[in-house]
């Protein structure tokens, strides 16, 4: 079975979390495929710049948080097994510039973000991220 690995981030600024609307229709976090020879962190930073226009020097990965989700989806009739690694990332900028891959974005308070996120796997990641930040 085909497999994909992506790296993404629960990006926050102040008390707000960044969500993107994917061309497929769902709302979720910044993420993208890990390319050959790239570390998970490098893939995340590249995607944050490509998808949201957030440069690396405006982002800080928070130590101690790294979570994984997995799901199956169908592409051109083939089943794909996908794993996504999520970091928790502070952004010093709210200046998002979307690429063609996404149709909208929002900076939302925790409760609003939980309601907006489409998939349960991603909701769970946000719950863990929010709890982690509250306990820090
Ligand atoms: P990437 O952002 O990693 O480059 P992509 O643009 O291909 O990936 P995905 O978000 O992985 O997009 O979406 C591919 C398919 O998987 C879509 O049909 C989407 O609805 C579905 N999908 C996305 N996230 C999840 C999830 N957490 N659980 C189940 N299905 C999901």
């Amino acid at each position: 079975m085909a497999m994909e690995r992506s790296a993404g981030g629960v990006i926050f600024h102040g008390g707000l979390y960044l969500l993107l609307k994917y061309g497929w229709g769902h709302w979720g976090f910044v993420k993208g495929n890990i390319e050959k020879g790239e570390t998970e962190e490098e893939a995340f930073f590249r995607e944050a710049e490509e998808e949201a226009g957030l440069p690396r020097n405006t982002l800080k990965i928070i130590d101690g948080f790294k979570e994984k989700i997995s799901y199956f989806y169908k592409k051109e009739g083939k089943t794909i097994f996908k794993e996504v690694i999520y970091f928790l990332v502070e952004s010093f900028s709210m200046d998002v510039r979307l690429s063609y891959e996404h149709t909208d974005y929002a900076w939302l308070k925790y409760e609003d973000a939980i309601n907006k996120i489409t998939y349960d796997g991603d909701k769970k990641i946000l719950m863990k991220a929010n709890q982690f930040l509250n306990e820090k």
Side-chain angles (χ1 to χ4, degrees):
M1 184 190 302
M3 185 169 172
E4 282 179 9
R5 287 183 70 237
S6 278
V10 178
I11 299 176
F12 67 96
H13 176 93
L16 303 177
Y17 294 99
L18 177 62
L19 299 181
L20 304 183
K21 186 174 187 189
Y22 280 72
W24 306 82
H26 61 283
W27 282 87
F29 302 111
V30 167
K31 66 169 168 50
N33 273 339
I34 302 171
E35 290 175 1
K36 226 174 164 202
E38 243 181 1
T39 64
E40 293 160 349
E41 286 87 350
E42 283 164 354
F44 163 71
F45 283 123
R46 180 180 48 71
E47 292 289 343
E49 176 124 45
E50 284 177 12
E51 295 191 335
L54 293 170
R56 188 179 185 136
N57 63 2
T58 65
L59 298 169
K60 185 181 152 212
I61 292 182
I62 306 292
D63 282 342
F65 185 97
K66 188 171 156 189
E67 294 287 336
K68 184 163 80 176
I69 64 163
S70 58
Y71 51 94
F72 293 92
Y73 76 98
K74 281 219 155 137
K75 186 156 82 178
E76 291 151 12
K78 286 191 195 137
T79 301
I80 314 254
F81 175 67
K82 180 156 180 174
E83 280 185 349
V84 186
I85 304 289
Y86 283 114
F87 297 105
L88 179 57
V89 183
E90 183 166 16
S91 176
F92 302 108
S93 164
M94 292 186 84
D95 185 14
V96 170
R97 284 146 212 247
L98 290 181
S99 75
Y100 69 92
E101 283 178 73
H102 298 91
T103 57
D104 203 0
Y105 74 92
W107 288 99
L108 297 171
K109 285 189 296 193
Y110 174 68
E111 290 77 14
D112 295 334
I114 285 284
N115 287 328
K116 192 96 168 161
I117 290 170
T118 303
Y119 291 107
D120 286 349
D122 288 340
K123 285 185 202 272
K124 283 199 190 117
I125 294 292
L126 182 58
M127 284 176 204
K128 286 186 184 169
N130 191 62
Q131 195 174 357
F132 184 92
L133 288 174
N134 285 340
E135 285 168 4
K136 252 172 82 108

